């Protein structure tokens, strides 16, 4: 009945059961392997090892160990291969078995002591070196390594003492010179990672924690901590990658699972917000950013990230009041946010506060790694400032820079009635003539997309100094010429005041 049980459990169990039976047969074959066959595996393993075929060599050493578990050399050679492929945790038990069978095997004793030092098991390493020296007093390598253990122990003790007093500089200073000699010491790496975090050196902390996830089997705590450090740096994709490693080891982990759900939701919100911004759907983007701030209300970096993108979105929406409010809040908390400086400068331009725009762009250009927008924006803001001190077509019509073409035409018609020289009732006819000409110029520029764009970039398309080859033309009432006849090339205004 027992033999038939797996077959009732499905196809996968049938495969497992067959593999189990095969392994049992192989075990019987190996158990009855002759000394000659064991030696053949050892020779083949040695040959493959010399050729660099480490995994194939390991297969033959496995067979040799199973064939003759009393042969210390089979364990030692397998340990050598384990070390060559970076599997030190597997090598150590083989070295233990080697020395159990033959305690005076010097090469194995030296190798094990070296591994113990790397794990900071200094007392055990010292015992190995002392034992070997008792058998081989002239072994210079063992003597030198034994002498090196003293300074290592002193540095470790100093690091622990600094740590007990909360002196992270002391901890890091004590461990950095010796870490390459004890690279597999989990406690030292965790201690140094704590200090790196306290010192704000997150990426160095990440490097130490990552090593611990490899040194400790099924290290869910290590992956959780690694993901939390990434989260504190604002790296959501990296956070998700590491917390998923925790869940691979334990899908129902009480800390990793809820953390994963939260980070996944937050990442989705920020990603969607960026998509909406790229599509010009700024109001929807602001809603997503507000939702992200509710999902994560404690970590400042995510609040600042959301506020920064809201600052940009409100600027793009031409919502001057909200944009200035949010951008200024961002800059009050982080004066070196070059993107927020550029966005607020653009809002100042919309609000026709050109000197403020120049100031923000200038500040942004002094920040390392500032966006190209800062340099380009500064030049544009300076042109606009200079332009505003001459003839500003928006002010002539009494409009904001966010006005539409329809608003331009409406404003022009209203003012043209008042300032038309033939209908002006005031005494200063010359002023009326000048105002009417300025109104016509403003309408021409602001209803022409190309000319308006040039004007918004700080260039007056009708300024003879800037446009030496372009003459004033255009019919403010529609059509291609001036409203009073001619093609506009050399036309002179002739007004009749009666």
């Amino acid at each position: 009945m027992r033999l038939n049980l797996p077959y009732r459990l499905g196809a996968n169990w049938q495969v497992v059961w067959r593999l189990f039976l095969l392994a049992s047969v192989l075990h019987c074959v190996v158990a009855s392997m002759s000394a000659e066959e064991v030696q053949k595996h050892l020779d083949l393993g040695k040959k493959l090892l010399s050729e660099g075929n480490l995994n194939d060599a390991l297969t033959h050493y496995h067979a040799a160990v199973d064939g003759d578990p009393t042969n210390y050399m089979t364990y030692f050679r397998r340990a050598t291969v384990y070390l060559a492929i970076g599997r030190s945790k597997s090598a150590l038990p083989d070295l233990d078995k080697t020395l159990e069978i033959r305690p005076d095997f010097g090469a194995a004793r030296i190798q094990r002591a070296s591994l113990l030092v790397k794990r900071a098991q200094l007392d055990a390493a010292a015992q190995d070196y002392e034992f070997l020296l008792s058998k081989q007093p002239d072994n210079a390598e063992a003597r030198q390594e034994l002498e090196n253990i003293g300074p290592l122990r002193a540095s470790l003790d100093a690091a622990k003492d600094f740590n007990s007093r909360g002196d992270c500089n002391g901890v890091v200073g004590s461990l950095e010179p010796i870490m390459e000699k004890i690279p597999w010491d989990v406690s030292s790496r965790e201690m140094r990672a704590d200090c790196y975090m306290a010192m704000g050196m997150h990426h160095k902390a990440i490097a130490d924690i990552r090593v611990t996830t490899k040194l400790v089997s099924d290290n869910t705590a290590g992956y959780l901590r690694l993901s939390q450090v990434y989260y504190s740096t604002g790296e959501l994709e990296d956070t998700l990658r590491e917390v998923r490693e925790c869940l691979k080891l334990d899908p129902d982990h009480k800390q990793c699972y809820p953390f994963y759900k939260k980070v996944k939701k937050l990442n989705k919100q920020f990603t969607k917000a960026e998509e909406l911004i790229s599509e010009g759907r700024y109001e929807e983007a602001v809603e997503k950013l507000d939702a992200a701030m509710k999902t994560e209300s404690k970590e400042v970096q995510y609040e600042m990230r959301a506020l920064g993108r809201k600052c940009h979105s409100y600027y793009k929406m031409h919502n001057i009041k909200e944009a200035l409010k949010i951008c200024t809040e961002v800059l009050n908390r982080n004066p070196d946010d070059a993107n927020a400086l550029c966005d607020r400068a653009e809002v100042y331009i919309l609000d026709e506060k050109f000197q403020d725009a120049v100031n923000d762009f200038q500040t942004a250009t002094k920040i390392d790694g500032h966006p190209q927008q800062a340099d380009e924006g500064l030049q544009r803001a300076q042109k606009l400032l200079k332009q505003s001190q001459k003839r500003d077509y928006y002010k002539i019509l009494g409009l904001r820079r966010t006005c539409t073409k329809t608003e331009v035409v409406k404003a022009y018609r209203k003012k043209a009635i008042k300032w038309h020289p033939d209908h002006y009732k005031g005494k200063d006819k010359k002023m009326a003539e000048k105002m009417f000409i300025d109104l016509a110029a403003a309408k021409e520029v602001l209803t022409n997309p190309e000319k308006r764009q040039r004007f918004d970039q700080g260039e007056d398309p009708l300024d003879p100094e800037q446009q030496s080859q372009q003459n004033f033309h255009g019919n403010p009432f529609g059509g291609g010429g001036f409203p009073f006849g001619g093609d506009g090339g050399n036309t002179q205004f002739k007004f009749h005041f009666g």
Side-chain angles (χ1 to χ4, degrees), residues 257-381:
Y257 184 71
F259 184 54
Y260 167 73
K261 297 291 286 185
K262 175 183 177 180
V263 176
K264 184 180 179 181
K265 179 180 179 181
L266 185 63
N267 188 53
K268 185 176 180 179
Q269 290 169 329
F270 274 117
T271 301
K272 185 60 178 179
E274 291 301 326
E275 289 176 2
L276 293 169
I277 289 173
S278 67
E279 295 169 3
R281 297 159 63 184
Y282 301 110
E283 290 185 10
E284 295 174 69
V286 168
E287 291 177 2
K288 280 294 177 185
L289 293 166
D290 285 337
M293 292 173 69
K294 290 180 180 179
T295 300
E296 179 49 83
S297 59
K298 296 180 180 179
E299 291 286 344
V300 174
Q301 65 272 21
Y302 294 107
E303 180 187 10
M304 293 298 290
R305 178 175 170 179
L307 288 173
R309 299 310 283 159
K310 285 180 66 175
C311 159
H312 179 76
S313 297
Y314 280 125
Y315 144 56
K316 287 293 188 179
M317 292 161 61
H318 293 173
N319 188 331
I320 294 173
K321 180 180 178 181
E322 283 300 314
L324 286 177
K325 174 185 173 183
I326 300 298
C327 294
T328 300
E329 180 181 352
V330 172
L331 290 167
N332 285 340
R333 298 168 68 176
N334 181 14
D336 293 329
D337 189 327
N339 289 315
L341 282 165
C342 290
D343 283 336
R344 189 173 71 173
E346 297 289 0
V347 178
Y348 280 137
I349 288 176
L350 293 176
D351 204 26
E352 300 180 5
K353 296 179 179 179
F354 303 116
Q355 185 60 62
D356 290 332
V358 168
N359 294 341
D360 272 359
F361 278 130
Q362 281 181 332
T363 302
T365 60
K366 296 175 183 178
I367 297 172
D368 290 340
H370 62 266
Q372 186 177 354
Q373 178 191 359
D375 299 304
E376 296 172 349
L378 177 58
Q379 294 180 14
R380 178 161 44 87

Side-chain angles (χ1 to χ4, degrees), residues 220-236:
T220 55
Y223 283 116
L224 173 61
R225 189 177 183 209
L226 191 57
S227 66
Q228 290 171 335
V229 177
Y230 271 123
Y231 189 70
S232 70
T233 66
E235 302 291 343
L236 290 176

